[in-house]
Amino acid sequence: MLEKFKSQTEKLGRRIDTCVIIYDLEGLSIQKHFIPKGVKAIIEMVKVFEENFPEILEMVYIVNVPGVFDLAYNIVKPFLNDVTRKKVVPISGAPQVCHERLRELIEPSELPACYGGTFVPEDGDVSCDSLLVSSALVPRAMYMSAKVPVSEDSETLTVARRSSAQLEIAVTKPNCKLWWGFASEQYDIAYSVLFKPEQQAGVKQHAAQMEEIVPSKRVDSHQNFEEGSTTCAKMGVYVVRFDNTYSWTKSKVVHYLTRLEVASDEQEEAELGAAAASACADDAS
């Protein structure tokens, strides 16, 4: 890509250091592809650019958009940051409509002829096949294992379809650090971390009845080991809740580990001293 920037800079006599990506979804269908996963793949590609080459990616235009894609994209759109949201532009409609819109957004001399522009590669092929990076089926030999490796010390539970499961961790000293890690088999799952008073230990409650510590999120723990931690500011019962209520047909098998690191007396004294100093400063103000 950098070589392309250099050649274009020399050709045009001005600095060229950004690119525009056209993502062609021709042939994408709900029968052959799981549309939300397709949307996620595009968003992840944009994030790779934003996190590693923030100044290079100008825009991403998505063409030949199936109707169901718009629905899926509108679901994930509110969760995108402003920069990513502004750089991803789906263009719906017939090919002529897409081409006309692309000509408004991209200089026609730089736009491949197959997308309504006037640029034709050196081989003279107006379909511009040599410029397209086409997708293909991944050979089975390259498939990753469906099972994420977990520790032999892990425990296992099954979360039934349309159900949830809760792990309770009793915290008897303030400022302990709670760590959790888990992997699921074959399918994703949602989880959250909640808090309830010691008196409610052993009593299963609805999530809405407990204090939220870590908001619920759905994770691909069947592909990657999911882990996190939080500082337990107060004593009571912390609940790691696995949520499978969204699944109508699939139970989820989860392998998990939890660890509670108790704060030492010295740490507690230091933290109490810092809290007292903060309180004094607040009073003084």
Side-chain angles (χ1 to χ4, degrees):
M1 184 177 290
L2 295 179
E3 287 297 322
K4 182 67 173 178
F5 288 161
K6 182 178 179 181
S7 65
Q8 285 296 91
T9 296
E10 294 173 353
K11 174 184 174 182
L12 301 174
R14 56 188 174 87
R15 184 179 178 84
I16 303 297
D17 54 9
T18 60
C19 69
V20 171
I21 294 177
I22 298 176
Y23 218 116
D24 192 342
L25 301 187
E26 183 178 8
L28 192 70
S29 67
I30 193 65
Q31 290 83 11
K32 292 183 179 180
H33 309 86
F34 185 42
I35 297 298
K37 291 287 186 181
V39 175
K40 183 178 180 181
I42 295 172
I43 299 304
E44 288 301 318
M45 179 269 294
V46 175
K47 286 182 177 179
V48 167
F49 270 93
E50 288 300 306
E51 293 172 3
N52 298 281
F53 315 101
E55 305 301 325
I56 289 181
L57 184 63
E58 185 74 23
M59 294 293 292
V60 176
Y61 299 118
I62 308 172
V63 300
N64 292 318
V65 178
V68 70
F69 181 92
D70 286 333
L71 175 62
Y73 181 64
N74 287 333
I75 292 173
V76 302
K77 190 174 180 180
F79 300 99
L80 305 179
N81 62 50
D82 289 339
V83 174
T84 302
R85 187 163 54 245
K86 290 175 181 176
K87 288 192 175 184
V88 179
V89 180
I91 302 176
S92 304
Q96 302 92 316
V97 176
C98 289
H99 293 175
E100 183 177 346
R101 179 63 176 144
L102 286 173
R103 284 193 293 269
E104 295 173 357
L105 299 166
I106 302 173
E107 172 63 40
S109 63
E110 298 294 327
L111 182 64
C114 57
Y115 293 118
T118 59
F119 176 79
V120 177
E122 293 180 358
D123 60 11
D125 182 7
V126 294
S127 65
C128 302
D129 286 343
S130 61
L131 300 177
L132 301 180
V133 180
S134 301
S135 61
L137 293 176
V138 177
R140 279 196 174 275
M142 297 180 66
Y143 280 16
M144 295 179 64
S145 171
K147 187 173 182 179
V148 180
V150 293
S151 168
E152 293 181 356
D153 298 329
S154 65
E155 298 185 59
T156 302
L157 59 80
T158 299
V159 189
R161 62 185 181 87
R162 304 293 295 162
S163 184
S164 65
Q166 299 181 4
L167 306 177
E168 293 192 358
I169 300 96
V171 175
T172 58
K173 297 180 71 174
N175 301 315
C176 295
K177 187 171 184 179
L178 172 62
W179 174 90
W180 61 87
F182 64 90
S184 53
E185 295 184 8
Q186 294 187 294
Y187 309 104
D188 65 0
I189 197 163
Y191 85 98
S192 60
V193 179
L194 309 162
F195 173 82
K196 61 183 180 180
E198 181 183 0
Q199 296 84 347
Q200 298 297 322
V203 179
K204 187 171 181 178
Q205 295 178 299
H206 292 294
Q209 297 175 302
M210 295 181 279
E211 178 184 343
E212 184 180 79
I213 304 298
V214 176
S216 178
K217 61 178 179 178
R218 191 167 166 177
V219 295
D220 292 328
S221 52
H222 61 304
Q223 298 175 344
N224 301 286
F225 188 75
E226 181 73 21
E227 60 182 324
S229 64
T230 187
T231 299
C232 305
K234 52 188 177 181
M235 297 180 290
V237 179
Y238 287 77
V239 177
V240 179
R241 179 177 183 265
F242 295 108
D243 182 6
N244 193 35
T245 55
Y246 59 86
S247 179
W248 288 85
T249 59
K250 304 293 185 183
S251 296
K252 309 292 174 66
V253 177
V254 180
H255 306 280
Y256 67 90
L257 291 161
T258 60
R259 183 171 65 244
L260 189 64
E261 297 177 359
V262 180
S264 66
D265 294 337
E266 291 80 4
Q267 285 178 308
E268 282 192 49
E269 289 175 5
E271 287 161 354
L272 287 172
S278 176
C280 290
D282 292 340
D283 291 341
S285 62

